[in-house]
Amino acid sequence: HAKNQGKRRHSLFSQQMQLEAMERLILEGDLRQALQRGELFLQYQPILQLSPETLSGFEALIRWQHPTLGRISPDKFISIAEETGLIHDIGQWVIAEACHQLSQWQQHAPAHALTMNVNLSALQLTNPHLVETVHEILSATGLSGDQLKLELTESTIVTGSAETEKILQEFRTLGIHICIDDFGVGHSSLSRLHEFPIDTLKIDRAFVNRLSIDRKGLEMIQIIVALAQSSEMTVVAEGIETGDQLRQLQSLGVEYVQGYLFSKPLEAEAACRYVQAQGTKNRQP
Ligand code: C2E
Ligand code: MG
Ligand code: MG
Ligand code: MG
């Protein structure tokens, strides 16, 4: 009977929902301890400047190695960290760890200062001690402000309050750069963008991907590059996987690139070797 089938589907559906709710509850409990237990760690993906191709810096990306469930994606656990408020401790740890690593690698680096991009959740901006904490981390690691770049999403910025603007201004005073991550996918209006001190637009991976499919990606990237140029912002394209995408981005005037074509996110030791290899490369005639 159609009615019975409907019932069965409904109960399967609610069982599925119950399972997901349970999984979430377990993850929530486990995430509380993950930091102390050393289950969280960072990987670092190189960001390159084009023509000539040089290492500009890295983006720090958080990882969770769960003792029984294996690797859990940040797309899954960052939202849990936000809902539980754990994002404040976790986020602070990410900044400290990433800055500490960069200060170590800088000793092996080519002559110019490398940079570290760190993703910030909107919620971290509600912490009244955030700027002070970041300042302390910079002092402790000996990095200069312009070696740190904070990535925020478009909606975090555009829906931000006067307080958001104040915090971003304070970061800028410290020399820290602000990037808009996943730029172009937000549904928010761009009209408030100029109110905030933005240094970089990171083109969302979806548009780079689209370059291989039809003209939509190309058109969108053209608009983003023009917008950036008119406001003296730099553009980073992320998620580049093919040489063809790279050539198209280069011809569109994109200056910074990041993606599997160059390197996947690397463990700290591998990232350090990557820096060392760049240093050697640059010293050769
Ligand atoms: P995101 O900041 O936009 O980071 C880029 C994502 O694209 C990363 O996924 C990276 O591994 C992936 N990626 C890079 N190049 C390629 C490529 O060529 N092809 C493909 N298919 N993917 C590529 P990941 O590491 O899974 O991170 C997902 C998201 O989780 C990040 O997106 C960011 O929004 C969030 N996230 C990661 N680490 C942190 C963190 O420390 N704090 C906060 N608040 N969010 C984080
Ligand atoms: Mg990012
Ligand atoms: Mg992104
Ligand atoms: Mg993202």
Side-chain angles (χ1 to χ4, degrees):
H1 272 10
K3 200 177 162 192
N4 275 340
Q5 269 182 9
K7 248 187 196 158
R8 187 150 64 229
R9 249 203 309 275
H10 176 77
S11 86
L12 272 175
F13 180 66
S14 64
Q15 270 177 27
Q16 176 68 24
M17 296 223 321
Q18 261 177 9
L19 271 174
E20 276 169 21
M22 257 166 64
E23 187 199 46
R24 214 178 155 80
L25 221 69
I26 292 169
L27 288 183
E28 211 179 288
D30 292 350
L31 189 56
R32 281 182 204 284
Q33 325 209 11
L35 194 54
Q36 291 97 298
R37 292 184 176 166
E39 294 165 14
L40 300 181
F41 64 100
L42 299 180
Q43 286 187 337
Y44 303 89
Q45 189 175 34
I47 299 174
L48 303 158
Q49 184 168 18
L50 293 175
S51 50
E53 199 178 290
T54 39
L55 176 65
S56 172
F58 294 89
E59 177 177 2
L61 294 160
I62 196 167
R63 302 289 177 249
W64 182 10
Q65 188 65 41
H66 188 283
T68 54
L69 300 172
R71 198 64 76 78
I72 297 168
S73 158
D75 283 325
K76 195 164 194 173
F77 74 82
I78 288 294
S79 64
I80 299 177
E82 289 172 341
E83 281 160 28
T84 52
L86 292 168
I87 193 68
H88 294 291
D89 285 348
I90 292 175
Q92 183 173 327
W93 173 80
V94 171
I95 303 168
E97 176 70 12
C99 288
H100 172 73
Q101 287 296 338
L102 185 65
S103 72
Q104 300 291 304
W105 305 338
Q106 189 64 60
Q107 303 166 20
H108 312 283
H112 68 275
L114 296 172
T115 56
M116 183 61 76
N117 285 36
V118 174
N119 294 284
L120 277 200
S121 154
L123 222 73
Q124 290 179 263
L125 298 181
T126 64
N127 175 359
H129 305 296
L130 179 68
V131 177
E132 187 191 323
T133 303
V134 170
H135 192 183
E136 282 167 10
I137 290 171
L138 289 175
S139 308
T141 52
L143 295 183
S144 65
D146 61 8
Q147 288 183 276
L148 180 62
K149 301 187 182 216
L150 299 175
E151 299 193 3
L152 293 158
T153 64
E154 201 177 331
S155 64
T156 302
I157 290 171
V158 179
T159 66
S161 57
E163 186 58 26
T164 303
E165 198 191 327
K166 183 172 151 260
I167 293 173
L168 298 190
Q169 288 295 352
E170 286 170 357
F171 279 137
R172 169 161 284 188
T173 306
L174 294 175
I176 296 167
H177 286 220
I178 304 295
C179 311
I180 304 190
D181 204 355
D182 306 339
F183 189 75
V185 296
H187 304 288
S188 45
S189 116
L190 299 180
S191 56
R192 290 197 61 206
L193 213 57
H194 69 274
E195 295 170 24
F196 300 93
I198 311 297
D199 302 282
T200 302
L201 302 179
K202 285 191 87 169
I203 299 175
D204 193 71
R205 172 150 56 89
F207 300 118
V208 174
N209 210 11
R210 190 108 187 213
L211 283 173
S212 322
I213 300 167
D214 58 27
R215 285 190 58 86
K216 268 273 148 50
L218 186 121
E219 286 165 7
M220 191 66 197
I221 292 169
Q222 258 171 342
I223 294 171
I224 296 174
V225 170
L227 174 71
Q229 282 170 350
S230 72
S231 312
E232 286 172 28
M233 295 184 282
T234 55
V235 172
V236 182
E238 61 181 344
I240 300 166
E241 295 183 352
T242 70
D244 195 51
Q245 290 168 346
L246 172 63
R247 277 184 292 280
Q248 292 193 67
L249 289 163
Q250 250 174 321
S251 72
L252 288 169
V254 170
E255 207 186 337
Y256 294 89
V257 289
Q258 179 182 359
Y260 293 169
L261 177 64
F262 308 99
S263 171
K264 291 207 165 182
L266 304 167
E267 309 268 319
E269 301 80 54
C272 184
R273 285 194 298 273
Y274 191 98
V275 170
Q276 284 173 311
Q278 290 276 323
T280 323
K281 197 167 88 185
N282 281 16
R283 270 193 294 276
Q284 277 164 3

